[in-house]
Amino acid sequence: MMRRPIIGVVGTGSVSPGADAAAEAVGREIARHDAILVCGGLGGVMTAAARGAREAGGTTIGILPGADIHDANPYIDFPIATGMGQARNAIVVQTAQVIIAIAGGYGTLSEIAMALKIGKKVIALQPQFHIPGVLSAQDAVEAVRLALALIESPPSPCLSV
């Protein structure tokens, strides 16, 4: 049985009109390619990406920091309550086959670092700065196209400490 691709979307948990519009477009593109979106399940980029995916008929998974599935934004199909706080970021990164980062702060940077450390590919949408090993995309179509191409390529070996 062939599994559907799983693409992680990470970014700011705060409302940011520019980032939210980009995240919603990424979510739509993920759904259009029959991939599954995994994110942190709360607000900001997470809500916008899940909304875009759901409105385009896609499937969404939210890895929640708290212990209550009802904390998930309304666009999450499968909320997973962890009770792990920010440590849940590791589950988002481990679950996704590739990560698309949109805006964000230290939490997003930690997810990028975790992904790179374990050999997962990361794509930054309209990045504000350069991080070695992170690929760049200028729009949602390019980001998702690149993500799917990376999923189809052979996996990278895990990096050591």
Side-chain angles (χ1 to χ4, degrees):
M1 176 176 113
M2 185 78 159
R3 292 188 191 268
R4 292 165 51 196
I6 301 175
I7 299 174
V9 176
V10 299
T12 181
S14 310
V15 174
S16 168
D20 290 357
E24 191 167 334
V26 165
R28 276 194 304 273
E29 283 301 307
I30 290 170
R32 285 183 184 145
H33 290 279
D34 199 30
I36 297 169
L37 182 144
V38 65
C39 67
L42 297 177
V45 160
M46 298 169 279
T47 295
R51 180 176 51 242
R54 281 282 301 280
E55 289 177 355
T59 302
T60 61
I61 301 170
I63 310 294
L64 304 169
D68 187 350
I69 63 168
H70 297 98
D71 291 340
N73 72 60
Y75 306 102
I76 295 298
D77 294 310
F78 299 100
I80 299 174
T82 67
M84 296 174 63
Q86 293 302 312
R88 71 70 151 84
N89 291 350
I91 297 172
V92 173
V93 169
Q94 287 287 353
T95 301
Q97 292 171 275
V98 65
I99 299 290
I100 297 175
I102 304 167
Y106 295 128
T108 305
L109 287 172
S110 75
E111 289 166 308
I112 291 169
M114 277 189 263
L116 293 173
K117 184 165 180 66
I118 64 172
K120 299 239 177 148
K121 299 295 184 181
V122 178
I123 301 156
L125 185 60
Q126 300 173 354
Q128 297 175 346
F129 47 88
H130 174 74
I131 299 173
V134 175
L135 303 168
S136 177
Q138 293 308 306
D139 60 33
V141 171
E142 180 184 8
V144 174
R145 179 190 54 75
L146 183 55
L148 292 168
L150 291 168
I151 289 170
E152 293 174 8
S153 67
S156 300
C158 290
L159 302 175
S160 60
V161 178

